[in-house]
């Protein structure tokens, strides 16, 4: 997610750009591989709208009290907790300063608003990362700091779970780490371990969501890290081992279908953001599964439909690739009923598809709550 909208000029050729030079990391044990088809048990409505609430910063969209969040939103992601340094693992979370957000409540009032939202059936979740919050768990010490500091924030505010919105250089794959089923890169394995620690600590009702960009998920169909050609960006597909290892605990994956370059779908064609075709193709990839780096022996298994939502910008102000209400709803109907499809045709209809995610509640309020109103009505949230 972007604190301020930023136009990206990403194109497919960038996938073969010169490799990064990540800092050396210490060795870490491989994560266990989860069983395909097992699902998390955190209780949610059959259809959900998940939205990010700007709580730690201002960006022109305006402060929105939790008490004023429209009722259509079922999951409220508090954005963002950020680390004290990229490699410390230690998270900090604080409300937007009064100098930037004059209407910000006191911490006590904010906690009371969280309690009230939860009493109305909402899940209030701590989102970690964002555009500025680079998190690289290079060591087991950073993993421990991540778990303890995240737990302290969750306990202090009485939150329902955690959202992983790692962007930029937070996740990457080291040379030789080519199998998403048994990763060896410490920033990957330590994150998997940290999230297992947190879900173990809080139990099956703990909400675990992830909001990767398409580059970190669907691009893995063509390119995975440096890959067999040795020239791809080491971040390509880097979320795949995290999603796979935690699929038994993952409540919701809502890939950002925006701020994206053209992505090759399961039909071998490139799809471009901003229309129903893109959402149909990108969602179908995680619902059907796909060979990683085109290798049939490395097949990323599908997620259960109830674990999947589509990530969207709330308005043209919120991100590059905004899609009109009509196009979003056409894509939703195509994916859930198999009817009205244009462009890409999904493998099969998934009536259990969980919902939509938006960046953000603030930008939607700024634009008159169109996202919550129109999509809430269409999905029945």
């Amino acid at each position: 997610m972007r604190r301020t909208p930023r136009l990206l000029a990403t194109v497919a050729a960038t996938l073969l750009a010169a490799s990064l030079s990540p800092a050396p990391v210490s060795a870490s044990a491989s994560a266990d591989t989860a069983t395909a088809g097992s699902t998390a048990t955190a209780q949610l409505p059959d259809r959900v709208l998940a939205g990010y609430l700007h709580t730690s910063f201002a960006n022109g969209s305006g402060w929105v009290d939790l008490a004023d969040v429209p009722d259509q939103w079922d999951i409220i992601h508090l954005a963002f907790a950020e680390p004290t340094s990229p490699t410390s693992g230690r998270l900090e979370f604080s409300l937007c300063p009064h100098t930037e957000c004059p209407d910000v409540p006191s911490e006590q009032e904010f906690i009371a608003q969280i309690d009230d939202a939860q009493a109305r059936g909402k899940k209030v979740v701590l989102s970690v990362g964002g555009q500025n919050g680079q998190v690289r768990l290079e060591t087991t010490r950073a993993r421990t700091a991540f778990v303890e500091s995240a737990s302290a924030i969750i306990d202090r505010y009485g939150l329902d779970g955690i959202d992983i919105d790692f962007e930029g250089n937070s996740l990457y794959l080291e040379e030789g780490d080519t199998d998403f089923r048994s990763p060896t890169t410490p920033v990957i394995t330590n994150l998997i371990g940290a999230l297992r620690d947190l879900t173990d600590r809080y139990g099956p009702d703990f909400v675990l969501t992830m909001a990767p960009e398409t580059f970190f998920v669907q691009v893995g169909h063509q390119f995975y890290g440096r890959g067999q050609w040795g020239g791809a960006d080491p971040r390509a597909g880097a979320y795949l081992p995290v999603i796979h290892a935690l699929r038994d605990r993952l409540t919701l994956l809502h890939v950002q279908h925006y701020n994206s370059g053209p992505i090759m779908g399961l039909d071998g064609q490139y799809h471009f953001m901003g229309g129903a075709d893109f959402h149909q193709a990108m969602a179908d990839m995680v619902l059907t599964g796909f060979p990683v780096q085109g290798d049939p022996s490395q097949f990323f298994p599908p997620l259960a439909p109830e674990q999947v939502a589509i990530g969207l910008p709330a308005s043209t102000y919120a991100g590059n690739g905004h899609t009109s209400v009509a196009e979003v709803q056409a894509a939703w109907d195509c994916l859930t009923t198999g009817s009205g499809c244009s462009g890409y045709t999904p493998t099969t209809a998934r009536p259990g598809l969980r919902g939509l995610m938006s960046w953000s509640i603030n930008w939607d309020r700024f634009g008159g709550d169109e996202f919550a109103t129109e999509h809430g009505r269409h999905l029945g949230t």
Side-chain angles (χ1 to χ4, degrees):
M1 284 19 157
R2 310 287 177 189
R3 289 191 169 192
T4 53
R6 183 174 70 186
L7 183 64
L8 302 183
T10 310
V11 293
T14 61
L15 303 178
L16 296 174
S19 298
L20 300 178
S21 299
V25 293
S26 60
S28 177
S30 297
D32 294 334
T33 301
T35 302
S38 56
T39 57
T41 57
Q43 295 301 306
L44 294 174
D46 290 341
R47 294 283 190 262
V48 301
L49 290 189
Y52 287 79
L53 188 69
H54 311 173
T55 48
S56 63
F57 62 93
N59 68 348
S61 58
W63 175 267
V64 177
D65 268 337
L66 264 166
D68 296 327
V69 171
D71 198 51
Q72 291 93 335
W73 299 103
D74 302 288
I75 304 175
I76 302 168
H77 297 299
L78 305 182
F80 292 105
E82 298 182 7
T84 55
S85 73
T87 58
S88 71
R90 187 161 299 283
L91 302 176
E92 293 182 335
F93 177 77
S94 58
L95 297 178
C96 181
H98 279 279
T99 53
E100 298 178 29
C101 305
D103 298 326
V104 67
S106 68
E107 183 175 81
Q108 184 176 4
E109 291 169 332
F110 186 67
I111 292 172
Q113 290 179 8
I114 292 172
D115 292 341
D116 180 66
Q118 291 167 330
R120 291 183 284 114
K122 311 305 176 185
K123 300 293 187 182
V124 185
V125 173
L126 179 70
S127 184
V128 180
Q131 178 185 352
N132 296 342
Q134 304 294 299
V135 184
R136 296 194 297 274
L137 304 183
E138 297 178 351
T139 64
T140 54
R141 182 176 182 178
R143 163 183 164 172
T144 299
F146 183 91
V147 172
E148 294 306 319
S149 57
S151 298
I153 297 168
I154 290 166
D155 293 345
R156 180 172 184 172
Y157 291 93
L159 303 177
D160 297 298
I162 194 166
D163 171 67
I164 303 301
D165 180 21
F166 285 11
E167 301 183 13
N169 298 315
S170 292
L171 295 181
Y172 55 83
L173 294 154
E174 291 184 334
E175 190 75 48
D177 191 352
T178 58
D179 188 343
F180 74 92
R181 297 162 297 191
S182 48
T184 57
T185 305
V187 295
I188 302 291
T189 58
N190 283 326
L191 176 59
I192 292 168
L195 295 177
R196 284 197 175 279
D197 290 345
L198 282 169
T199 52
D200 283 343
R201 176 175 296 198
Y202 290 103
D205 290 334
F206 189 71
V207 174
L208 173 61
T209 62
M210 299 182 191
E213 296 163 290
T214 54
F215 185 81
F216 294 98
V217 181
Q218 285 89 345
V219 164
H221 177 41
Q222 281 186 281
F223 307 100
Y224 186 66
R226 288 188 173 88
Q228 64 191 49
W229 300 286
D233 191 316
R235 300 170 299 172
Y239 251 92
L240 292 178
V242 181
I243 298 167
H244 184 62
L246 292 157
R247 64 174 61 235
D248 62 326
R249 302 162 188 236
L250 180 64
T251 308
L252 205 58
L253 174 73
H254 31 58
V255 176
Q256 300 176 34
H257 289 190
Y258 51 97
N259 293 330
S260 172
I263 308 292
M264 181 180 286
L266 298 178
D267 57 355
Q269 304 298 312
Y270 280 98
H271 300 269
F272 298 80
M273 64 181 180
D277 173 76
F278 189 74
H279 304 308
Q280 291 157 194
M282 294 303 100
D284 195 40
M285 291 184 76
V286 296
L287 291 166
T288 300
F290 53 87
V292 174
Q293 201 169 247
D295 181 357
S297 70
Q298 284 209 65
F299 190 82
F300 180 78
L303 291 173
E306 62 266 22
Q307 291 180 290
V308 178
I310 298 171
L312 302 157
S315 69
T316 55
Y317 296 105
N320 188 27
H322 175 257
T323 309
S324 70
V325 167
E327 288 285 298
V328 171
Q329 294 180 0
W332 176 266
D333 293 344
C334 170
L335 287 162
T336 56
T337 70
S339 64
C341 300
S342 61
Y344 181 89
T345 301
T347 309
T348 187
R350 268 84 175 200
L353 186 65
R354 206 56 176 265
L356 305 176
M357 172 274 276
S358 183
W359 178 261
S360 61
I361 293 170
N362 301 64
W363 281 119
D364 193 39
R365 293 241 79 184
F366 184 83
D369 293 321
E370 179 184 62
F371 192 103
T373 302
E374 298 299 329
H375 296 318
R377 180 184 300 120
H378 194 73
L379 270 63
T381 65

